[in-house]
């Protein structure tokens, strides 16, 4: 049995956002023309805010919708590691989004998307707090990238080596006609 369409959409929306955010975040700090940098910073901040909302909604969804069981081929140890990796991904995505928000707002910078939506900053300017958040954001990216690599590696292992149906629980983003899904 696979995940339902809502869980799949949360997953693949998060994947898409992260696949944009990471390279944009790395590129925007390079020595680029200021206008290009500004556009990349604006994109990164806006998508970061969207990612925070998506991940929070995803966590809420997960709290009220139990995931489908794992195939018998997955050992108890593998299931524990998978659970820890998933928890770590959720936690680090939330830390990245929150620390990015705090870094920007406490640094006195706008988040244009939130401003356009009429959402005021939740905290005032505070250079010390902005500096701490900047360090947290910078350090957390390594843990997030590492867990993403572990997650993708496990998916490839289950898809190509074990061929045990683990990946099919989440792929494709929409369930195929006649494919059993959990609601």
């Amino acid at each position: 049995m696979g995940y339902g369409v809502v869980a799949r959409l949360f997953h693949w929306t998060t994947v898409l956002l992260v696949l944009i955010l990471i390279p944009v975040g790395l590129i925007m700090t390079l020595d680029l023309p200021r206008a290009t940098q500004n556009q990349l910073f604006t994109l990164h901040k806006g998508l970061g805010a969207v990612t925070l909302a998506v991940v929070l909604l995803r966590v809420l969804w997960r709290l009220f919708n139990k995931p489908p069981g794992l195939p018998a081929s997955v050992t108890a140890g593998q299931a524990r590691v998978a659970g820890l990796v998933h928890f770590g991904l959720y936690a680090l995505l939330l830390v990245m989004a929150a620390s990015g928000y705090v870094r920007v707002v406490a640094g006195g910078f706008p988040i244009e998307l939130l401003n356009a939506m009429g959402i005021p900053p939740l905290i005032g300017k505070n250079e010390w707090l902005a500096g701490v958040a900047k360090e947290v954001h910078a350090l957390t990216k390594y843990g997030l990238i590492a867990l993403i690599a572990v997650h993708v590696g496990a998916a490839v292992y289950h898809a190509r080596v074990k061929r045990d149906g683990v990946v099919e629980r989440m792929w494709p983003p929409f369930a195929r006609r006649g494919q059993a899904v959990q609601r």
Side-chain angles (χ1 to χ4, degrees):
M1 182 181 286
Y3 284 90
V5 172
V6 174
R8 290 174 189 228
L9 287 175
F10 276 136
H11 178 270
W12 291 105
T13 299
T14 304
V15 169
L16 179 62
L17 289 165
V18 169
L19 285 177
I20 296 168
L21 281 165
I22 290 174
V24 168
L26 295 172
I27 293 167
M28 71 188 192
T29 59
L30 299 176
D31 187 24
L32 300 169
R34 192 65 193 158
T36 302
Q37 260 188 333
N38 287 342
Q39 289 176 329
L40 292 173
F41 273 106
T42 299
L43 175 64
H44 190 77
K45 293 183 293 181
L47 289 180
V50 170
T51 302
L52 177 58
V54 168
V55 173
L56 286 172
L57 289 170
R58 186 176 177 186
V59 168
L60 284 173
W61 180 262
R62 176 77 183 260
L63 288 173
F64 295 102
N65 294 273
K66 184 180 171 194
L70 291 165
S73 62
V74 177
T75 68
Q78 288 173 328
R80 278 191 297 279
V81 170
L84 289 171
V85 169
H86 284 105
F87 177 82
L89 285 168
Y90 285 125
L92 293 181
L93 284 168
L94 291 171
V95 169
M96 284 297 288
S99 63
Y101 176 86
V102 171
R103 188 275 176 261
V104 170
V105 174
F109 301 103
I111 298 180
E112 293 80 359
L113 176 65
L114 298 181
N115 291 350
M117 296 170 60
I119 301 172
L122 298 176
I123 55 176
K125 187 170 181 175
N126 180 323
E127 289 299 328
W128 176 84
L129 184 58
V132 170
K134 181 179 180 180
E135 289 300 314
V136 169
H137 198 70
L139 291 173
T140 303
K141 76 180 172 198
Y142 297 112
L144 181 60
I145 291 169
L147 283 184
I148 290 169
V150 169
H151 185 64
V152 170
V156 169
Y157 171 73
H158 282 283
R160 299 290 180 206
V161 176
K162 289 192 90 173
R163 299 178 188 267
D164 58 3
V166 168
V167 173
E168 288 76 11
R169 294 167 358 117
M170 189 56 79
W171 182 260
F174 294 98
R176 293 184 190 107
R177 178 172 246 115
Q179 182 181 14
V181 296
Q182 177 191 351
R183 297 286 170 214

